[in-house]
Amino acid sequence: MPKPLSEYNRKRDFEITAEPSGAAQTRARKASALSFVIQKHDARNLHYDFRLELDGVLKSWAVPKGPSLDPSQKRLAVHVEDHPLSYGTFEGSIPAGQYGAGDVIVWDRGVWQPHEDPHKAYRAGKLKFTLVGEKLSGDWALVRTRLKGSGDKEQWLLIKEKDQQARPATDYDIVQAEPNSVISNASVGKASAKAKPSKAHAPFPMQLAPQLATLMDRAPPGQWHYEIKFDGYRMLARVHEGEVRLFTRDGHDWSDRLPRQVKALQALKLKDSWLDGEMVSLDGDGLPDFQALQNAFDIGRSLDIVYYLFDAPFLNDVDQRQAPVEERRAALKAALSGSRSTLLRFSETFTAPERDIVESACALKLEGLVGKRAGSAYVSERSTDWIKLKCRLRQEFVIVGYTRPKGSRSGFGALLLAVNDEAGLVYAGRVGTGFDQAALKNLYATLKDLEQNTSPLLQPLKGSQAQDVHWVKPSLVGEVQFAEWTREGLVRQAAFIALRTDKPVTQIIHEQANRTQSNKPQPEGSQVNITHAERVIDAQSGTQKQQLAQFYTQISDWILPFLRHRPVSLLRAPEGVEGEQFFQKHSERLPIPHIKQLEPALDPGHARLMEIANVEALIGAVQMGTIELHTWGATTDKIETPDQFVLDLDPDPALPWKSMLEAAQLTLSVLDELGLEAFVKTSGGKGLHLIVPLARRDDWDTVKAFAKAIAQFMTQSLPERFTATSGPKNRVGKIFVDYLRNARGASTVAAYSVRARPGLPVSVPVSRDELKELRGAQQWTVANLQDRLQGLKSDPWAGYANRQRISKKMWDKLGAQPPQ
């Protein structure tokens, strides 16, 4: 009898293909539902590989036309060799000359539930099952026919059963309507590049977001490559099937505005590529001139615009995003070497010490420098692997008004500036210099058309600040250079640079430089000394202990309201997320710097409980190896009457994220029916937490019993989706509604706490409107949470108040009784 996966291994050379090897079987999986995956495969012919987990492998069928939701369309499914379970997440390109050469994406995935013994049904050639996937759901059948295909391969039929998910093909063709990957949103086939023989790569994306740099206050230690920070417009160039298009950082197509640059790029004769750079106008000294750039756009004179290129995430059909920055830039420089156009230039790096580079850049009145960490990959988000160092503070502001001119000046006197914070526009000062006569005239005409009677600011100006002000609709963005921010949040010694049309008003915030961390013995504002600051606590992200302390310092205003006045349990991982982890609930034996010790009576028979009341205690916890922070559901002043309960929706890991979102919406609907307002946060693990605030009235037993009644109600109503019984075996293919965290002494991870998992995800509050857009429970991490917080227009938990009461009517609706 052949060994499992012997045919799969025989057909592949794993020295060449990036496909996972089936040489060694994975260990027995923990109790979990059976997984399924459908991979879209652009090989010799585009087809869909339908795979069902059974007996530790993926039973596989090639479906040429893909699945159909129409029961009348019986799709041919050719049985092929078994694949290893690890193949279920494979996306990439199988090189030419290898079996199945071509691009592969995960088109759908989830769990499958056989309607009878799957082994007997498989042998009999009639499998009936339910799919719970991101795209496919409902009942399906795989039926073996008597026909044989090439090589005596069995031919089966994939058939959609008649149920609520079935739809006529004339109404909806799912393979046409939803062509992309559920993992990466990539596509294959006509929408992407074909597989190339050079090396494995991801399918070519038709859209790409740029990597953005993090503003720093000074050059950090380490190996960095520094380039000029060009004073221009960021632009990405896409070359696809010979066509060149130019896109701004927000994805707007500016190709028609830059025809000469497009022509110059076409002359390079590149294969499918994405190039990254900056459009710049140069003054007589060869230095960037932003005002000249704007003038060139205004009069349509693209001949005066130079495209400085500094990166190539994709180049000549090769995905270079994971390659070191040095390799990407070397390949880009080689590709540009044959260009004769003066409109395309390569952005060179400097080899002098960074201090000398910064001083020279400032002496030349450049905007600053961009540093790129040696060996770093290209990521489509803001990253600390790219940093920007500015010679003088400079950023964009929303123009909210202007003052009358004085003396011989015409037009206006000064512009009133603002930035966005969580609640609205906040006044940031004014700028009255940097305008020539033409700018005064043109800008004044624009401002007159935007005038309005009311102030767009969140807080009205008072006294002399409000005198002689004309308010305007907040739709213009201006770039301003200034000496510093005052303590009141106003700019000092400001000079106007130019209007910006490439950045939306909603993205304009108070930019604050991150302080260089690795040279500092302790976080800003903290009196706690961080020992072993350079210790890496998470290998996946490379985060150091010092950086975690800095992160908690930066978000302290967000997390401390959820920690103050509550007993806290600390999940400590002194050796990092891969090492031993343990909870500390009391401050015995190992005191935490600045931790608050609570009254002994709060936990009779034990040592004192702890509370984190300030940033020093927060960083003290990190100093002692803490990563996670868990809090009780009651405050210390009324410890016996909880002020909230939590429903932790904990899914079978095999379930698709779509099932998690549906479960959250169903649970929220039940809470709505009970008349209880709930607030949602990601767990930072696998699921979601629903927090229900309460008035401090009922005791622990009553609140826990009520949460249990909700969990049991969900289970009784939808037993195929939910379970109220803990343990992996009881949640196979289901979501456990965990109510057990509501007992006295139990705790739940706090909002904005980091989780001790690879990548350091964070438990993050979200609004109910954001639910449908969530991509997963680990969407936000230590690396990207700041971007979310800075972009928030309002608190996602606005309106949270502990006033709700559990009523007899609620118990009755659940068919339960409170404990006696």
Side-chain angles (χ1 to χ4, degrees), residues 398-402 415 442-456 470-478 499 505:
V398 182
I399 299 173
V400 294
Y402 66 93
L415 300 177
N442 295 334
L443 187 51
Y444 179 62
T446 302
L447 294 169
K448 288 289 290 183
D449 292 338
L450 295 174
E451 276 200 45
Q452 62 183 32
N453 294 327
T454 57
S455 168
H470 295 257
W471 300 111
V472 298
K473 179 181 178 182
S475 59
L476 297 179
V477 173
L499 289 178
V505 169

Side-chain angles (χ1 to χ4, degrees), residues 403-682:
T403 61
R404 295 175 183 174
K406 295 181 179 180
S408 61
R409 184 163 179 167
S410 61
F412 58 88
L415 300 177
L416 274 69
L417 309 174
V419 292
N420 291 285
D421 75 355
E422 295 87 350
L425 285 169
V426 176
Y427 181 60
R430 58 188 68 195
V431 57
T433 63
F435 309 99
D436 56 24
Q437 286 300 318
L440 283 169
K441 179 180 178 181
N442 295 334
L443 187 51
Y444 179 62
T446 302
L447 294 169
K448 288 289 290 183
D449 292 338
L450 295 174
E451 276 200 45
Q452 62 183 32
N453 294 327
T454 57
S455 168
L457 296 173
L458 180 64
Q459 297 291 338
L461 298 184
K462 298 179 180 179
S464 60
Q465 287 185 336
Q467 291 179 359
D468 297 328
V469 171
H470 295 257
W471 300 111
V472 298
K473 179 181 178 182
S475 59
L476 297 179
V477 173
E479 186 167 6
V480 175
Q481 181 174 277
F482 54 101
E484 64 178 352
W485 290 95
T486 69
R487 292 181 179 179
E488 294 76 25
L490 307 180
V491 294
R492 189 174 71 85
Q493 298 179 5
F496 186 78
I497 304 299
L499 289 178
R500 298 297 299 242
T501 58
D502 60 331
K503 295 187 179 181
V505 169
T506 55
Q507 292 185 8
I508 306 305
I509 60 171
H510 179 161
E511 294 183 10
Q512 301 186 51
N514 286 5
R515 296 184 178 271
T516 304
Q517 298 170 9
S518 50
N519 280 342
K520 294 176 69 65
Q522 60 191 49
E524 184 73 12
S526 169
Q527 301 303 313
V528 180
N529 181 47
I530 300 295
T531 60
H532 306 293
E534 304 297 323
R535 176 181 292 157
V536 174
I537 61 172
D538 173 45
Q540 179 172 310
S541 64
T543 302
Q544 299 171 339
K545 181 181 179 182
Q546 169 67 35
Q547 292 172 316
L548 179 64
Q550 188 71 28
F551 171 80
Y552 270 128
T553 302
Q554 292 169 342
I555 69 159
S556 59
D557 287 345
W558 292 88
I559 191 172
L560 284 174
F562 297 101
L563 298 175
R564 290 190 180 108
H565 311 303
R566 293 182 187 276
V568 63
S569 297
L570 310 177
L571 181 66
R572 297 177 54 216
E575 301 302 320
V577 299
E578 300 297 333
E580 182 184 4
Q581 300 179 10
F582 54 91
F583 271 102
Q584 182 177 345
K585 187 176 179 180
H586 305 92
S587 59
E588 56 189 325
R589 296 184 183 176
L590 188 63
I592 306 296
H594 300 280
I595 206 81
K596 182 178 180 180
Q597 295 190 9
L598 301 177
E599 291 295 326
L602 295 180
D603 199 12
H606 297 89
R608 294 172 183 262
L609 295 170
M610 302 178 291
E611 178 192 338
I612 290 177
N614 51 47
V615 68
E616 286 77 19
L618 182 60
I619 305 310
V622 176
Q623 157 60 14
M624 301 309 295
T626 298
I627 296 180
E628 295 187 11
L629 306 161
H630 294 241
T631 54
W632 286 35
T635 53
T636 54
D637 57 332
K638 294 187 177 181
I639 197 68
E640 301 302 335
T641 51
D643 67 345
Q644 65 179 41
F645 70 85
V646 57
L647 298 174
D648 177 4
L649 303 184
D650 188 11
D652 179 335
L655 282 172
W657 180 246
K658 176 184 175 182
S659 295
M660 186 71 254
L661 294 180
E662 290 175 347
Q665 295 287 9
L666 287 169
T667 309
L668 287 169
S669 296
V670 170
L671 293 169
D672 289 343
E673 181 64 25
L674 293 173
L676 290 171
E677 185 177 14
F679 295 81
V680 186
K681 68 182 179 74
T682 63

Side-chain angles (χ1 to χ4, degrees), residues 252-513:
H252 299 299
D253 191 334
W254 279 24
S255 307
D256 293 341
R257 305 175 71 174
L258 295 157
R260 294 178 181 271
Q261 288 73 17
V262 167
K263 186 176 180 180
L265 288 166
Q266 287 174 332
L268 295 175
K269 299 188 182 302
L270 299 177
K271 298 177 182 178
D272 288 359
S273 302
W274 275 101
L275 310 181
D276 195 354
E278 191 102 357
M279 293 293 176
V280 179
S281 276
L282 303 177
D283 63 14
D285 296 324
L287 298 176
D289 186 335
F290 187 79
Q291 186 61 61
L293 178 66
Q294 282 212 316
N295 294 340
F297 276 116
D298 290 342
I299 64 176
R301 187 176 169 81
S302 64
L303 182 61
D304 295 337
I305 300 174
V306 177
Y307 192 16
Y308 274 95
L309 291 154
F310 46 68
D311 213 320
F314 285 77
L315 187 64
N316 286 324
D317 286 335
V318 177
D319 182 353
Q320 299 195 125
R321 288 174 294 182
Q322 295 304 311
V325 62
E326 304 93 321
E327 292 184 13
R328 298 196 308 271
R329 285 176 47 79
L332 171 63
K333 187 173 184 178
L336 292 174
S337 61
S339 174
R340 297 182 178 179
S341 174
T342 59
L343 302 182
L344 301 180
R345 301 187 188 180
F346 180 69
S347 173
E348 296 285 357
T349 56
F350 299 98
T351 56
E354 57 265 22
R355 179 179 297 178
D356 295 342
I357 299 172
V358 172
E359 290 178 356
S360 298
C362 296
L364 289 171
K365 297 184 178 180
L366 295 172
E367 185 181 354
L369 297 174
V370 172
K372 296 170 183 176
R373 192 189 304 275
S376 61
Y378 189 99
V379 294
S380 292
E381 59 186 20
R382 193 172 300 281
S383 166
T384 54
D385 284 337
W386 285 21
I387 60 170
K388 49 187 176 182
L389 303 172
K390 294 188 177 183
C391 293
R392 200 165 182 255
L393 293 179
R394 180 170 174 161
Q395 73 158 74
E396 295 79 25
F397 293 87
V398 182
I399 299 173
V400 294
Y402 66 93
T403 61
R404 295 175 183 174
K406 295 181 179 180
S408 61
R409 184 163 179 167
S410 61
F412 58 88
L415 300 177
L416 274 69
L417 309 174
V419 292
N420 291 285
D421 75 355
E422 295 87 350
L425 285 169
V426 176
Y427 181 60
R430 58 188 68 195
V431 57
T433 63
F435 309 99
D436 56 24
Q437 286 300 318
L440 283 169
K441 179 180 178 181
N442 295 334
L443 187 51
Y444 179 62
T446 302
L447 294 169
K448 288 289 290 183
D449 292 338
L450 295 174
E451 276 200 45
Q452 62 183 32
N453 294 327
T454 57
S455 168
L457 296 173
L458 180 64
Q459 297 291 338
L461 298 184
K462 298 179 180 179
S464 60
Q465 287 185 336
Q467 291 179 359
D468 297 328
V469 171
H470 295 257
W471 300 111
V472 298
K473 179 181 178 182
S475 59
L476 297 179
V477 173
E479 186 167 6
V480 175
Q481 181 174 277
F482 54 101
E484 64 178 352
W485 290 95
T486 69
R487 292 181 179 179
E488 294 76 25
L490 307 180
V491 294
R492 189 174 71 85
Q493 298 179 5
F496 186 78
I497 304 299
L499 289 178
R500 298 297 299 242
T501 58
D502 60 331
K503 295 187 179 181
V505 169
T506 55
Q507 292 185 8
I508 306 305
I509 60 171
H510 179 161
E511 294 183 10
Q512 301 186 51

Side-chain angles (χ1 to χ4, degrees), residues 36-38 88-89 106-111 132-135 182-183 656:
F36 86 89
V37 63
I38 302 175
T89 57
V106 175
W107 183 79
D108 195 18
R109 64 177 177 177
V111 302
V132 183
E134 301 283 357
K135 296 177 181 177
V182 295
I183 294 178

